Each structure stands twice: as C-alpha cells, then as structure tokens.
C-alpha cells in the first residue's frame, strides 16, 4: 500500500472510532488501541510531511495563539428562547400557537434537555468545518474556529453523503459535571480563579486566545438546530433534521424525543426532572420545539425568540448545609456584600462552598447566624444564595453576624444607606478593593478592551502602589511590568502594546469605562449619541440629561455628581493627556426630529417588530418607555392592545396606530 493511502486509511479509521466513541457512545476499541493508531499516524505524517492536511485528526491543536478574536456575522441571527416556569406558562405557549395556526388537532413537538452551556455556530462548507463562532449579540459573534477545532466531539468533516454545500449547525458547548469538578480542583490547588458554574467554565475555555489551553479543557458538544443552509435539501421536521445531523457525525441529545400535545410535553418534563441528577452534564430545563418546519416558518419570531419553541425551566434546587463564616467583599462602587462561606455541599449538579447573603438588612431580617444550618438555593447560572436559617436547629454557640466597623480592605469609615439597604465603604478610589474593581471594569472587553490586563496583574499593580488611577496604566514601562513576579518580558511587551492600542477608542466605550454609577453600556451609548463629545456632556444639567432614553432622575444625578468631583475630572484629563482619544460623533440635529418626545408601544405590530419600532424611534431622538404616565406623549397601539391603551385613553394621551407611527418616522 502506498504511504499516502496508508495515511488516509489511518485518518478514516481514527475518525470512525471518534464517531463511535463520541457520537454513538459505543466504542469498539480500547483507549490504548486508539492511542496507538493516533501515534502511528503522527509518525507517518512526520516522516512524510507532504501528506499532512489541516483537517487531519492530528491537527486539531496547533494554531498559534491569537491577539483578539475576529468578528463573524451571523447571516441568520442567533436567537434566544422564551422561558416557561410553570405548567400554566407551557399551556399558554401552546394556546398561542393554536390561536395563530388555527389548528385544532394536537401539535407535534420535539422535546430535549436544555443544556447549561454556550451557544455556538459551526459552518460546514462542502462538508468541511470552515468556521465556528460564539453567539455574541446574536448578529455579530466571535470567531473561535481554532478553539472549537480542539473539541474532538465536533467533526472536522461530515460523514456520509448528501450534505448541503453550506450547512450551519447550531448547538451547545458545555463541560460535563465530572470535568467541571476536576477543573475546579486543579484551580483551587493552583490558586487560580474558581469557576462559579460549568457554564462560566465553558465560556471561559472557549474564549482562550491560545487554543492549546482550550484543548486541555473537557469541552463537549450537542447540536440543537440549524442556521444558514444553502445548496441542498433537508428533511421537513425538526426531529428528522436532528437525526440527519446525527448520521452526518454530529452529536445530538440521546434524550431528544417526539411528543404529541402539551400533556406529553409536561410528562417529558417530569421524566427529565427525575433523570436530571443522573445525567453526566447539567441541564436547567427542557426545550419544546414545534416539529414541523413548515409550521415553524408560519409561526416566525417575536423580538429575540421564536414563537415555535420554549424553554421549560426547572425550579431552583435547595439544600441544607452549615454556615461556617461570613466575609465582606467590597465591590466597584464600595458596596459591601456579605459572602457566606459554607460547608461544601452538592446542589443542582455542582459542589458549592460560597453563596451570597445579599446585604446586612436581609441577614438581620432573616436572623441568620454563623454556625447555623442554612438553606441554600441554586438555579441555573445564578449565584447561589442563602435563603434562610433553620433556627430551630441553632447550636448554642451560634454567633451573630456583625458589620465590620470599618472597610475590611482600606479601613475607611462605612456608611449605611437605609432606603437602599446598602452598606458602603466611603474610601472611594482610596480603597484598594474599589480601585481594583474600577481598573478591572476600565480594562474590560466592552470598555477599553485592554487584552492581557488580568485580575492578578491588576492586583499587583495596585498593591505595589504603582497604579493609583486608571490613568497611571498608560505610564507603565517595561521595567515596571517586568518587576512584577512571573511576568515574562514578552507578555510585558504585549501588554504595553495592548495599552497603546486601547488608547484609540470610541466615545461610548470611554464613557462606559469611566464606571459612572448606573451608566451601563446602553446608557453610555445613548449619552454618546446625544452629546457627541465630552465637553457638552460634562456641562449638562440633570434636566438636560433626563431627556435621554434610559436616563431617569437617579442616573442623571449620578452623572452630574461624577463630573463635579475634581478627582474624576483630573483622571479624565490625565487619560486624554496620555493619548486616549476618540472621534467625536457628529450629531445631525435635523435627524433628531422627535427628540424630547416619549413613546409607549403596546400590542402586536404587524409591519415592524416592537424592537424595530423602538430602535427607529430612538434613532430620531425619541424616548421609548415601558409604562404610560402623564409624561407620555404618544402611545402606539397594535392589535390586542390592553391595559396600557386603556390607561392612555384615561389620561388623554395621544394614540397612534402602526400606520401613523410609520408616517411619523418618515418625518
Ligand atoms: S434551541 C431559536 N435547544 O439556550 C432557538 N437551545 O435560552 C435556539 N440551549 O441560546 C435555541 N439547550 O444556547 C435550543 N436543546 C436546546 C438548548 C438550547 C441549551 C441554549 C441556547 C440558547 C439558549 C436560550
């Protein structure tokens, strides 16, 4: 046999075994035999580099580390799912479908587990894996192809015949329970960050710039649907499509079932709830999808979710354990959060040893003490929380929890704001904890995006006093960084390059990066679009600010107070002096012809979706609010508008139908 033939034969053999092992869950050789085949192929490829191919099973890992992830546009948006939390919600879902389709026979659904992972899109061109991307905001995701290629459960090429020219498979990358436990054990031993849940661990693993790191993470995959398909035919039901994907070598849930009628859905839910703890991965509910693709198309979408599918969530799980200690953590705004240190306990698929106690008022109201047996609740990816203490089992030596007299980090005074139930360190940026959080926020991906400025480095920069404000970041030298323990010259230079790169930013990112209280990304964007540049914003009054979408009196006050503080302005000027810059946004005042007007949208619109209508209104300066008040200028009422329309009528607010709205938008 020629060497080339032998190489191809080995590759095919290895892929067949991969398929049997990962997809069919039915291996026919031992791990040792598999490893031997793999090594044989590696040896042959090394001796005959002319036969190396980038889709050989030996070439899954090997791409060089990236600096950032390129963007990928999803031609078919990646949507989310609506949630149902009760049988009644599921019944409503089915009623809505029946109403819309005017069908009276029971509807066929697929039912499958809802995995707690990260949604990914895999694009196969002529059967070969071309790109893999995260969901991102649904329209633009990140290109994580090199990382996804390291997941052996994901085929580099499809098996069999008849694949469309272009096939986009969507599914979930997740970390099984066992792998998650091992990962966190390792992290704990090496003083690395512990992942809060398998979902965070999967997301963190997929977002590694170096695929060699991803390759070491125990990632797994299930397909659950399709995106863009071109040049080829597929079956006409959800179930048959999934079976087809399985034949082509993609893993689908072994628990995927066809069920008819809502009763059968609810029965499936009960069965899966019983099976949940025995599954090797975490699920947080089940998903029902209308089986017929023709009916799916008829039903379509509403805002960000399909009308033909729903996630039926499991209720939160509760367990009892002992509260060993309480520590107070200081956040970016100085808020002190009591964190419960618990006797480790297994709940909803993972072992936890920390939970939040929210704030001091709750501790007092619930009379929770150190040493108590406490009920801990965990739901999906939400941070576990202490729900209550079993006071009847209270040990005699249980200790009351006291607020520290001063900040546990900087020892500044502490203030308690009664009406907001928060306790704050008054140290501001003098407090190392607040400074660290402020820097972390400033550097984060959606703010200044300083790649490589991780928690550990921030910690050291602040603790050594080298960085006092975010502006100091831009005066760091190679020497400063090299002096930090464990920082190689190459990574130090990379970080300096990243800092330099981050200087060129956008106004909205800069605003968000400043970390003004309650100014999130969306508000920063609105502020940037409205004011165009820093100067007009810095001199804006509370009244002027409140004209903007999302800005109420509280936020307006935070913004004004922020710019009144001299030290904040000093930092801003220092940043600009260091070279931080952006292009001012040119505001076309003529375009903002609805500025100052407040709209409320209600009922179903026919031509526009509600999100589209909202976006279009905001583009021309209008504010869109969720509730009708005397301040509302217009209510746009679609079909089956309910209480908001009534309220508008009673308040004498002007009411528009969709046609009138469209006309108005045309100016
Ligand atoms: S279908 C258009 N099926 O849940 C509908 N999603 O909460 C696309 N998820 O973004 C999703 N298991 O990442 C579907 N069996 C399953 C799922 C599943 C987990 C994720 C998915 C989606 C999110 C929505």
């Amino acid at each position: 046999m020629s060497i080339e033939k032998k190489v191809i034969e080995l590759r095919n053999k290895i892929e067949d075994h991969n398929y049997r092992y990962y997809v069919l869950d039915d291996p026919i050789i031992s791990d040792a035999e598999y490893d031997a085949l793999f090594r044989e192929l590696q040896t042959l490829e090394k001796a005959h580099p002319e036969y190396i191919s980038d889709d050989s099973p030996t070439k899954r890992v090997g791409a060089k580390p990236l600096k950032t992830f390129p963007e990928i546009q999803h031609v078919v948006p990646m949507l989310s799912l609506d949630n149902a939390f009760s049988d009644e919600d599921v019944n409503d879902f089915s009623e809505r479908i029946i109403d819309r389709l005017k069908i009276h026979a029971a509807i066929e659904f697929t039912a499958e587990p809802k995995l707690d992972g990260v949604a990914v899109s895999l694009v196969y061109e002529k059967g070969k894996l071309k790109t893999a991307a995260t969901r991102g905001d649904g329209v633009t995701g990140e290109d994580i192809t090199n990382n996804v290629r390291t997941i052996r459960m994901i085929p580099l090429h499809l098996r069999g015949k008849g694949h469309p020219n272009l096939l986009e498979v969507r599914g979930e990358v997740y970390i099984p329970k066992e792998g998650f436990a091992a990962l966190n054990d390792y992290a704990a031993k090496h003083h690395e960050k512990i992942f809060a849940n398998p979902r965070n661990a999967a997301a963190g693993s997929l977002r590694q710039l170096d695929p060699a790191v991803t390759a070491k993470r125990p990632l797994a995959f299930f397909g659950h649907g399709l995106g863009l398909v071109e040049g080829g035919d597929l079956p006409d039901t959800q179930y048959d499509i999934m079976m087809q994907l399985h034949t082509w070598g993609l893993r689908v849930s072994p628990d995927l079932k066809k069920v008819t009628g809502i009763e059968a859905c609810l029965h499936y839910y009960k069965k899966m709830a019983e099976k949940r703890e025995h599954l090797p991965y975490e699920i947080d509910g089940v998903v029902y999808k209308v089986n017929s693709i023709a009916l799916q198309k008829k039903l379509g979408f509403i805002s960000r979710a399909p009308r033909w599918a729903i996630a039926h969530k499991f209720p939160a799980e509760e367990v009892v354990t002992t509260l060993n200690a309480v520590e107070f953590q200081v956040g970016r705004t100085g808020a002190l959060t009591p964190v419960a240190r618990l006797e480790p306990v297994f709940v909803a698929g993972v072992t936890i040893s920390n939970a939040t106690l929210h704030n001091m008022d709750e501790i007092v109201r619930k009379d929770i003490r150190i040493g108590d047996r406490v009920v801990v609740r965990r739901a999906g990816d939400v941070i576990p929380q202490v729900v209550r203490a079993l006071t009847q089992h209270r040990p005699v030596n249980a200790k009351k929890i006291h607020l520290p007299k001063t900040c546990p980090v900087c020892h500044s005074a502490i203030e308690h704001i009664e009406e907001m139930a928060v306790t704050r360190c008054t140290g501001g940026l003098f407090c190392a904890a607040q400074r660290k959080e402020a820097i972390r926020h400033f550097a984060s991906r959606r703010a200044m995006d300083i790649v490589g400025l991780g928690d550990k480095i921030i910690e050291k920069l602040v603790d050594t006093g080298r960085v006092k404000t975010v502006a100091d970041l831009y005066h760091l030298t190679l020497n400063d960084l090299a002096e930090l323990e464990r920082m190689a010259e190459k990574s130090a230079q990379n970080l300096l390059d990243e800092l330099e790169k981050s200087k060129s930013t956008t106004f909205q990112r800069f605003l968000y990066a400043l970390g003004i209280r309650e100014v999130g990304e969306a508000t920063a964007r609105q502020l940037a679009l409205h004011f165009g540049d820093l100067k007009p914003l810095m001199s804006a009054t509370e009244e002027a600010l409140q004209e903007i979408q999302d800005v109420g009196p509280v936020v307006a006050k935070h913004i004004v107070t922020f710019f009144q503080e001299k030290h904040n302005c000093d930092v801003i000027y220092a940043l600009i002096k260091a070279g931080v810059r952006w292009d001012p946004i040119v505001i076309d005042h003529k375009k903002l012809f609805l500025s100052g007007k407040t709209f409320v949208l209600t009922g179903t619109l026919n031509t526009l979706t509600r999100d589209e209508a909202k976006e279009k209104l905001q583009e021309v300066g209008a504010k869109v609010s969720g509730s009708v008040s005397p301040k509302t200028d217009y209510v746009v009422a679609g079909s089956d508008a309910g209480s908001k329309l009534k309220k508008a009528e009673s308040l004498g607010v002007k009411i528009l139908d969709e046609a009138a709205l469209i006309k108005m938008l045309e100016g």
Side-chain angles (χ1 to χ4, degrees):
M1 192 188 299
S2 75
I3 302 283
E4 185 177 13
K5 266 208 174 133
K6 179 79 194 161
V7 167
I8 293 172
E9 190 192 78
L10 271 172
R11 276 183 200 151
N12 288 341
K13 250 193 192 164
I14 291 172
E15 258 153 29
D16 285 344
H17 288 305
N18 263 349
Y19 175 65
R20 295 203 67 100
Y21 185 84
Y22 289 116
V23 180
L24 302 182
D25 198 12
D26 181 23
I28 48 168
I29 57 171
S30 69
D31 288 1
E33 284 168 297
Y34 178 89
D35 291 344
L37 285 176
F38 201 86
R39 272 196 305 271
E40 195 181 342
L41 178 60
Q42 276 177 321
T43 314
L44 268 182
E45 284 179 343
K46 209 168 167 192
H48 301 275
E50 65 273 26
Y51 301 132
I52 292 180
S53 136
D54 66 357
D55 59 351
S56 167
T58 59
K59 294 284 168 287
R60 283 188 173 266
V61 195
K64 289 207 183 68
L66 294 174
K67 290 216 150 157
T68 51
F69 295 106
E71 286 185 348
I72 279 194
Q73 302 295 325
H74 302 301
V75 180
V76 177
M78 281 181 86
L79 301 162
S80 185
L81 288 170
D82 264 344
N83 290 323
F85 296 98
S86 62
D87 290 6
E88 202 189 332
D89 289 350
V90 178
N91 269 316
D92 289 349
F93 161 71
S94 143
E95 290 293 313
R96 285 196 299 271
I97 292 177
I98 291 168
D99 271 2
R100 255 188 190 262
L101 296 177
K102 306 198 169 46
I103 295 186
H104 294 289
I107 292 173
E108 192 170 59
F109 294 95
T110 60
E112 66 197 295
K114 181 167 191 301
L115 280 132
D116 213 1
V118 181
V120 293
S121 138
L122 310 173
V123 175
Y124 288 90
E125 254 179 51
K126 299 207 168 64
K128 266 175 94 168
L129 178 64
K130 189 83 182 173
T131 56
T134 59
R135 191 183 113 125
D137 62 5
V139 179
T140 310
E142 286 178 313
D143 183 342
I144 50 163
T145 312
N146 294 342
N147 289 347
V148 164
R149 282 177 58 97
T150 69
I151 306 173
R152 284 209 226 159
M153 222 172 250
I154 295 181
L156 295 178
H157 30 234
L158 301 175
R159 303 172 64 82
K161 290 202 190 66
H163 346 107
N165 262 331
L166 194 149
L167 177 73
E168 182 186 356
V169 178
R170 293 187 174 164
E172 208 75 2
V173 167
Y174 66 95
I175 291 192
K177 289 175 188 169
E178 210 177 288
F180 176 74
L183 203 60
N184 265 353
D185 273 355
Y186 180 91
K189 283 202 191 97
H190 293 80
H191 304 286
E192 287 171 11
K193 208 174 128 194
I194 307 272
F195 293 108
N197 54 56
R199 208 251 291 257
N200 286 354
S205 303
L206 279 182
R207 291 204 73 258
Q208 292 293 327
L209 290 164
D210 184 356
V213 178
T214 309
K216 290 193 198 125
R217 302 287 171 83
L219 294 168
F221 174 81
F222 272 134
H224 53 54
L226 293 178
L228 188 64
V229 179
E230 279 174 6
D233 288 324
L234 285 168
D236 57 7
T237 63
Q238 179 77 24
Y239 186 84
D240 291 346
I241 290 174
M242 297 318 289
M243 290 304 118
Q244 178 68 77
L245 292 183
H246 186 250
T247 323
W248 285 336
L250 287 148
R251 193 150 166 265
V252 301
S253 171
D255 290 302
L256 172 70
K257 295 264 157 39
K258 264 190 287 195
V259 292
T260 303
I262 232 54
E263 281 309 315
C265 287
L266 297 178
H267 180 72
Y268 179 87
Y269 174 85
K270 251 176 79 184
K271 287 279 163 228
M272 283 313 292
E274 287 163 14
K275 200 170 170 182
R276 182 181 186 187
E277 66 171 304
H278 307 292
L279 289 173
Y281 40 82
E282 264 208 78
I283 66 173
D284 58 357
V286 299
V287 182
Y288 313 126
K289 298 172 189 167
V290 170
N291 194 29
S292 151
I293 300 294
L295 294 185
Q296 287 187 2
K297 288 205 172 118
K298 263 196 187 162
L299 288 162
F301 303 87
I302 185 156
S303 62
R304 316 237 67 188
R307 285 199 187 86
W308 44 263
I310 200 156
H312 190 180
K313 294 295 215 39
F314 292 136
E317 270 191 53
E318 293 187 350
V319 289
V320 175
T321 187
T322 307
L323 177 60
N324 288 335
V326 174
E327 281 167 28
F328 286 82
Q329 275 179 357
V330 186
R332 174 157 66 86
T333 59
L336 260 59
T337 309
V339 178
R341 305 289 179 213
L342 305 166
E343 196 56 40
V345 62
F346 189 74
V347 51
V350 290
T351 302
I352 61 159
S353 42
N354 300 315
T356 178
L357 283 157
H358 298 288
N359 56 50
M360 205 55 210
D361 291 5
E362 275 215 22
I363 295 178
V364 173
R365 189 163 48 80
K366 294 178 175 168
D367 186 25
I368 296 173
R369 300 190 192 178
I370 295 167
D372 271 346
R373 298 286 288 162
V374 289
V375 176
V376 176
R377 175 188 295 162
R378 194 177 104 83
D381 58 338
V382 186
I383 301 172
Q385 38 185 310
V386 175
V387 187
R388 63 176 186 278
L390 304 179
T391 43
Q392 68 276 28
H393 299 299
R394 174 163 290 162
V396 281
N397 58 353
K399 279 201 306 232
K400 276 203 172 170
I401 299 162
H402 296 288
L403 252 184
K405 297 222 159 41
T406 58
C407 168
V409 176
C410 73
H411 308 293
S412 297
I414 272 172
E415 63 175 353
H416 187 73
I417 305 161
E418 202 78 50
E419 63 276 21
M420 289 171 73
V422 302
T423 312
R424 277 214 170 79
C425 157
T426 57
L429 291 177
F430 168 75
C431 175
Q434 291 184 58
R435 225 178 310 147
K436 286 175 192 169
E437 290 300 322
I439 296 170
R440 189 190 312 213
H441 173 77
F442 183 82
S444 65
R445 187 154 63 98
R446 298 186 166 272
M448 299 300 278
D449 194 20
I450 308 172
V451 180
L453 188 64
D455 293 357
K456 289 234 178 76
I457 300 176
I458 296 175
E459 189 117 324
K460 283 184 195 146
L461 289 172
V462 172
D463 290 345
T464 55
R466 184 61 195 82
V467 169
K468 296 203 170 62
T469 76
V470 289
D472 295 339
L473 290 171
Y474 292 106
H475 298 294
L476 288 171
T477 63
L478 202 56
N479 232 345
D480 292 329
L481 291 175
E483 274 173 16
L484 300 179
E485 238 179 290
R486 278 201 291 166
M487 183 121 186
E489 182 159 335
K490 184 148 178 293
S491 8
Q493 187 55 52
N494 282 347
L495 179 51
L496 289 183
D497 294 347
E498 282 298 332
L499 278 160
E500 191 55 41
K501 210 173 88 193
S502 75
K503 287 181 184 171
S504 164
T505 185
T506 62
F507 183 35
Q508 75 183 63
R509 273 181 180 267
F510 179 77
L511 271 181
Y512 172 63
L514 290 177
I516 304 170
R517 288 253 295 275
E518 315 246 356
V519 176
E521 258 189 297
T523 309
R525 177 162 172 263
Q526 298 292 342
L527 289 169
L529 289 177
H530 189 90
F531 290 100
D533 206 351
L534 199 54
K535 251 202 182 139
L537 171 64
M538 285 175 84
S539 53
T541 60
E542 287 181 33
E543 292 73 47
L545 286 162
Q546 283 184 56
E547 293 212 341
I548 302 166
Q549 174 74 28
D550 293 343
V551 179
V554 177
V555 182
K557 199 170 169 72
H558 284 318
I559 297 170
V560 168
T561 318
F562 183 89
F563 290 117
Q564 272 168 358
E565 294 273 0
K566 182 168 173 306
H567 66 256
N568 289 334
C569 298
D570 288 346
V571 170
I572 291 175
Y573 296 133
L575 284 167
I576 293 172
K577 205 167 154 218
V580 173
R581 63 198 174 268
W582 55 86
D583 289 329
I585 299 162
V586 184
I587 302 169
D588 179 356
H589 284 282
K590 267 190 283 179
K591 223 188 108 208
L592 301 179
F593 53 87
L594 289 181
S595 131
K597 299 281 182 235
T598 303
F599 284 71
V600 172
L601 304 171
T602 179
T604 315
L605 304 180
N606 288 318
T607 325
L608 296 171
T609 67
R610 259 212 243 172
D611 276 348
E612 284 165 353
K614 183 172 171 186
E615 216 162 274
K616 286 200 158 51
L617 281 165
Q618 288 175 1
E619 272 170 21
V620 294
K623 187 165 169 167
V624 180
S625 161
S627 56
V628 180
S629 78
K631 281 198 186 151
T632 312
D633 295 291
Y634 298 97
V635 165
V636 180
S639 51
D640 46 77
S643 60
K644 288 182 193 169
L645 177 59
K646 284 216 184 87
K647 183 152 184 208
E649 283 166 348
S650 73
L651 288 172
V653 173
K654 283 188 212 111
I655 293 158
L656 304 175
D657 61 12
E658 192 174 357
L661 170 71
I662 291 170
K663 218 160 163 201
M664 202 173 214
L665 283 170
E666 284 163 0

